[in-house]
Amino acid sequence: MSNEAYVPAQYRHEHTPYRRAGRSGLRLSPISLGLWQNFGEDRDPRTLRDIVRRAVDLGITHLDLANNYGPPPGSAETHVGRILAQDFSRHRDQLVVSTKAGYRMWEGPYGDGGSRKYLLSSLDQSLERMGLDYVDVFYHHREDPETPLEETMGALHQAVVSGRALYVGVSNYSPERTREAARLLGEMGTPLLLHQPSYSMFNRHVENGLLETVEDLGVGLAVFSPLQQGLLTNRYMSGVPQGSRAGGSSGSLSERQVKDPDYQARVRGLSEIAHQRGQSLAQLALAWALRHPQVATALVGASSVHQLEQNIQTLDNLSFTSEELARIDEFAVDGTGR
């Protein structure tokens, strides 16, 4: 990475098929850079800076964070703040930066959930870590049955009217709670912009009512884990690589998951379909998740510039025949790998 002043690629927007978020005026890159498990203190800051620079050069405009992303919690926002200050201080209006609060962030009764105190305090901390005056999207990260939804949505509304956020969203909400959240926000005059659920070939819960709900509401989907934390790549077809998420007690996947015969059979079937399409398995999985018009963007992490570039090549082939979708359905079974 050069220490020279960074200048974004001049034609980076020309070949990116940006998508509208629901019925809003905001358009997002179909693939966004998700910073969930790969922007922590265990990563080389120079590599992280290279990834963000290359993402922007490839037409990615959206960086997705949360208060607890790292590890440790907060470190992803700190890294991004440093990169924004180094390279993007003059390009802030060309980026969409989102963050969230909802899971435990600090000890005590005010560091978790959906209360007004927690959400707005967390947002202030996120802005400080990133060195920003506002985020483009502020999400409530999860349902909190112990807090009235009116209070939680009121806090999101306050984030907008106070200038700390331009738009708001929810994540991991059921269709019913999404509909109620949208109603409450609409009455306050702050539309619900995005819903962020998990969605992949092996986790198809959004097809059980959420797709129809967001279509009715005019809300966009920003889907996370479209590669099912690596299960929808070729990485685990020949065992468990050293240093992988399935290799060790601290990993988010278990060795049992990746050696499961059903998983192995299904991932090999999908890999064959991908090969016939001229894609990698990961590219097939991303294109499949993006096939719904309700999906504004898919959030994908990257551990290297090369991996990011491979993911972006997905955009070269996003169309499916009905025959391909039928074949994929034979192997894209909800619950695989759990």
Side-chain angles (χ1 to χ4, degrees), residues 158-179:
Q158 181 62 29
V160 172
V161 298
S162 67
R164 289 123 109 183
L166 301 185
Y167 302 93
V168 297
V170 296
S171 180
N172 301 305
Y173 270 45
S174 69
E176 296 75 21
R177 294 284 278 186
T178 300
R179 194 174 293 277

Side-chain angles (χ1 to χ4, degrees), residues 67-98:
N67 58 357
N68 62 344
Y69 285 1
S75 59
E77 290 179 330
T78 299
H79 279 304
V80 166
R82 187 178 302 119
I83 294 167
L84 292 175
Q86 289 172 323
D87 297 318
F88 297 98
S89 59
R90 292 182 296 172
H91 308 287
R92 171 67 182 94
D93 57 350
Q94 299 177 30
L95 297 174
V96 173
V97 179
S98 62

Side-chain angles (χ1 to χ4, degrees), residues 16-330:
T16 302
Y18 294 98
R19 298 180 168 199
R20 288 200 182 276
R23 290 195 288 268
S24 76
L26 183 69
R27 293 190 296 164
L28 299 175
S29 45
I31 292 176
S32 297
L33 188 59
L35 308 176
W36 175 21
Q37 292 182 322
N38 48 24
F39 249 67
E41 292 299 333
D42 57 339
R43 300 296 309 281
D44 181 354
R46 293 170 297 181
T47 299
L48 303 184
R49 190 180 181 191
D50 284 343
I51 289 170
V52 174
R53 282 183 167 194
R54 186 59 176 148
V56 172
D57 283 345
L58 291 169
I60 290 175
T61 56
H62 180 207
L63 308 178
D64 180 74
L65 297 117
N67 58 357
N68 62 344
Y69 285 1
S75 59
E77 290 179 330
T78 299
H79 279 304
V80 166
R82 187 178 302 119
I83 294 167
L84 292 175
Q86 289 172 323
D87 297 318
F88 297 98
S89 59
R90 292 182 296 172
H91 308 287
R92 171 67 182 94
D93 57 350
Q94 299 177 30
L95 297 174
V96 173
V97 179
S98 62
T99 196
K100 314 174 196 72
Y103 290 102
R104 176 158 295 280
M105 185 59 188
W106 62 85
E107 294 302 315
Y110 312 122
D112 191 6
S115 72
R116 180 185 183 90
K117 180 170 179 60
Y118 168 53
L119 292 180
L120 295 179
S121 295
S122 179
L123 177 56
D124 287 342
Q125 293 175 24
S126 292
L127 292 174
E128 183 176 0
R129 281 190 289 268
M130 291 187 285
L132 297 177
D133 296 324
Y134 69 93
V135 291
D136 296 273
V137 187
F138 182 49
Y139 291 90
H140 185 221
H141 208 164
R142 66 173 179 95
E143 293 184 9
D144 177 14
E146 297 182 355
T147 302
L149 194 58
E150 292 84 353
E151 178 178 346
T152 301
M153 295 304 108
L156 296 186
H157 170 67
Q158 181 62 29
V160 172
V161 298
S162 67
R164 289 123 109 183
L166 301 185
Y167 302 93
V168 297
V170 296
S171 180
N172 301 305
Y173 270 45
S174 69
E176 296 75 21
R177 294 284 278 186
T178 300
R179 194 174 293 277
E180 181 64 8
R183 183 189 67 79
L184 291 167
L185 285 168
E187 291 175 352
M188 299 175 201
T190 297
L192 178 62
L193 177 77
L194 288 168
H195 185 300
Q196 190 173 127
S198 59
Y199 184 48
S200 77
M201 290 176 170
F202 292 161
N203 183 1
R204 302 182 63 166
H205 73 98
V206 306
E207 298 171 12
N208 299 323
L210 188 58
L211 286 172
E212 293 80 5
T213 296
V214 297
E215 176 69 22
D216 290 344
L217 298 172
V219 172
L221 288 181
V223 299
F224 70 88
S225 293
L227 305 183
Q228 200 64 23
Q229 300 185 58
L231 288 177
L232 283 163
T233 69
N234 294 326
R235 189 171 197 188
Y236 298 112
M237 291 177 62
S238 301
V240 182
Q242 186 175 3
S244 71
R245 289 180 178 175
S249 59
S250 62
S252 55
L253 299 174
S254 71
E255 190 169 353
R256 176 194 58 78
Q257 287 173 284
V258 300
K259 289 187 174 181
D260 177 77
D262 286 338
Y263 163 70
Q264 286 291 329
R266 290 165 186 166
V267 78
R268 291 180 188 281
L270 292 169
S271 186
E272 177 59 27
I273 297 170
H275 176 73
Q276 292 170 2
R277 285 170 50 87
Q279 292 180 312
S280 69
L281 175 56
Q283 290 166 350
L284 172 71
L286 285 171
W288 183 89
L290 287 166
R291 78 193 190 282
H292 297 292
Q294 298 95 323
V295 177
T297 190
L299 308 172
V300 183
S303 59
S304 67
V305 167
H306 175 72
Q307 188 181 68
L308 176 69
E309 292 170 341
Q310 291 295 304
N311 288 336
I312 284 291
Q313 289 178 20
T314 301
L315 303 182
D316 295 337
N317 185 8
L318 292 176
S319 62
F320 290 91
T321 66
S322 56
E323 291 80 7
E324 284 176 324
L325 290 174
R327 290 180 59 210
I328 288 170
D329 278 343
E330 296 177 25

